[in-house]
Amino acid sequence: MEYNVIIVGGGPAGLSAARYSAELGLRTLLFEAYSDIKAWKPCGEGVSKETFETAGIEPKPGIVANELSMRVYSPSGKYVKIPLHGFAINKDLFLQEMAKEAVKAGAEIRIAERVDSVVKEGGKVVGIRTAKGGIFKAKVTIGADGYNSTIAKTSGLNNSSELIPVYQYKMVGVELDSYKTGHIYVGSMAPRGYAWVFPKGDDIANVGIGIRPGAPKIYLDKFIKERPDLFKNAKIIGIGGAAVPIGGIAKEYIGDGVILLGDAAGMVVPFTGAGIHSSIAAGKAASKIIKEAIEKGDTSSKALSSFNKEYKPWIKRIKDSLRAMRVFERLGDNDLNQLADILNYEDIINLANGTNLKEVAIKLMKYPNLTAKIARALL
């Protein structure tokens, strides 16, 4: 069975690649190991409005659970408010909508079928082998199967990345003053990470934390216990944990006949751990490059490396966000409290997303105690 593109993994990167590859006329097959297309990995489920534009789907009611502004809290409790900025989504429905569009475009999706390895000929990846023993050939194989990628391991690509463990509860009865506002908390209560409360409606919220190092559940339970004003009547109705690659784009993610996308390639914005938008953009960029490579009859790693040019804005963004994260993970609570008095919401968005870091650095140069700690490093 021969295809132009075989994709392993039915998350944002894989479904994006499937849809856009099929739209470009490529014979496309996607394998999902689980029994359904849904959000098997716990997620805060917060996305920007631009995410929908890149995914090419409408922000319909149901998929969009809530429209949110944000507050970013310093350890002192002071916060910077970020105006209406994005959505809390139902990620299950979001991914299913992406799958629907992929199928409508002509992609084939096989669920509950695990891929065991790539198939190589002359050192080049030419397809995959399933756990059932089936061999499927393709011009290009895409590994969108997470940071613990089978495609990376069996193709010989080193996609190792620094991970941050996260833990999340789905809670009913969180007492917020506005269910249209998400909350992010930084400081020693979440060392080298942050905690979040993302309301999905009037009665339900995702409450989670990511830290390095340590056990995130312990820190999350402590975070909740220390905030009885928010959680005294709240009840847990869902639990999940995961690891998120926040060390920047992987050292190796392109080989002969193969390319890694999404978490498998570290295509996550490090400062925030957000990977939905960047993964969808990666799938879209890869589809274009793969079509060009197939038309030229050259699917070598050199040819597929044109992806780096197509994906360049995101590569820069991820790199700059990593640099900003490295600076801020060294700051103490007093530094963070001072920054809450200095930075506005645009500064915080720039730092989190790895954009316009120079502007933020110039502002901080006015404060001698922050110049060496932050401003020079950002520059």
Side-chain angles (χ1 to χ4, degrees):
M1 297 184 184
E2 294 189 2
Y3 292 82
N4 296 123
V5 184
I6 287 179
I7 301 156
V8 181
L15 291 170
S16 173
R19 186 247 180 104
Y20 289 114
S21 293
E23 286 187 351
L24 291 171
L26 301 177
R27 189 177 184 209
T28 304
L29 171 62
L30 182 146
F31 287 94
E32 169 54 51
Y34 289 106
S35 59
D36 198 358
I37 298 292
K38 62 180 291 185
W40 294 97
K41 186 182 81 172
C43 174
E45 298 181 291
V47 301
S48 66
K49 294 180 179 180
E50 292 77 16
T51 303
F52 280 85
E53 296 174 13
T54 305
I57 61 176
E58 294 295 322
K60 303 173 185 177
I63 297 175
V64 173
N66 206 358
E67 194 167 5
L68 296 177
S69 61
M70 300 295 294
R71 295 177 188 169
V72 180
Y73 286 83
S74 70
S76 69
K78 182 172 181 175
Y79 65 83
V80 177
K81 184 170 182 177
I82 301 174
L84 208 57
H85 189 63
F87 298 120
I89 62 170
N90 182 318
K91 192 177 177 183
D92 287 351
L93 295 182
F94 180 84
L95 293 177
Q96 286 161 24
E97 186 74 6
M98 290 186 71
K100 182 187 80 174
E101 293 300 325
V103 171
K104 284 171 62 178
E108 179 184 347
I109 295 178
R110 295 188 176 218
I111 60 169
E113 194 159 357
R114 182 169 56 84
V115 170
D116 267 357
S117 70
V118 300
V119 174
K120 288 185 176 182
E121 291 179 3
K124 181 179 181 179
V125 174
V126 295
I128 58 90
R129 179 180 289 104
T130 69
K132 298 177 181 179
I135 292 178
F136 297 79
K137 295 289 189 70
K139 303 291 186 185
V140 177
T141 298
I142 293 176
D145 49 342
Y147 73 89
N148 198 26
S149 168
T150 295
I151 300 304
K153 290 177 180 176
T154 59
S155 62
L157 294 173
N158 178 12
N159 73 327
S160 58
S161 178
E162 180 182 358
L163 302 174
I164 184 168
V166 301
Y167 204 79
Q168 178 175 268
Y169 296 138
K170 198 173 292 292
M171 304 187 78
V172 173
V174 180
E175 297 181 16
L176 300 170
D177 57 1
S178 169
Y179 291 95
K180 293 290 185 181
T181 303
H183 299 236
I184 291 174
Y185 300 82
V186 298
S188 57
M189 41 67 57
R192 298 176 70 199
Y194 66 92
W196 63 86
V197 180
F198 290 163
K200 298 188 67 179
D202 291 352
D203 300 313
I204 192 165
N206 290 332
V207 182
I209 201 166
I211 62 159
R212 292 170 293 143
K217 183 182 184 303
I218 294 173
Y219 279 87
L220 180 57
D221 289 341
K222 185 172 183 289
F223 169 80
I224 291 170
K225 185 177 180 181
E226 291 175 348
R227 289 162 179 80
D229 55 321
L230 295 180
F231 300 109
K232 63 181 177 181
N233 297 315
K235 304 297 181 183
I236 299 169
I237 62 168
I239 297 174
V244 179
I246 46 82
I249 292 181
K251 182 179 180 181
E252 297 176 348
Y253 57 97
I254 298 174
D256 291 335
V258 63
I259 182 168
L260 307 179
L261 301 176
D263 280 14
M267 292 170 182
V268 172
V269 179
F271 210 152
T272 62
I276 295 177
H277 192 185
S278 54
S279 294
I280 293 169
K284 190 173 185 178
S287 301
K288 180 180 176 182
I289 296 307
I290 289 169
K291 179 177 173 61
E292 293 173 356
I294 290 174
E295 287 177 344
K296 293 176 181 176
D298 181 3
T299 56
S300 66
S301 60
K302 183 177 180 181
L304 294 178
S305 291
S306 295
F307 169 84
N308 294 327
K309 183 177 181 181
E310 188 71 21
Y311 196 60
K312 185 177 180 179
W314 278 100
I315 291 174
K316 183 180 186 305
R317 185 168 168 178
I318 291 168
K319 182 179 179 180
D320 287 349
S321 178
L322 178 62
R323 188 164 81 252
M325 184 190 77
R326 293 298 185 212
V327 173
F328 276 77
E329 68 187 8
R330 298 194 298 266
L331 301 182
D333 286 356
N334 290 336
D335 298 318
L336 294 170
N337 289 333
Q338 184 181 3
L339 288 172
D341 294 322
I342 298 170
L343 301 179
N344 60 35
Y345 77 89
E346 291 176 331
D347 299 324
I348 290 175
I349 290 172
N350 285 332
L351 286 167
N353 291 333
T355 55
N356 300 318
L357 297 186
K358 184 177 180 180
E359 294 178 15
V360 181
I362 290 171
K363 176 182 282 191
L364 296 177
M365 291 287 280
K366 300 174 184 177
Y367 302 87
N369 65 315
L370 298 177
T371 298
K373 280 185 177 181
I374 305 175
R376 287 179 184 165
L378 290 178
L379 289 171

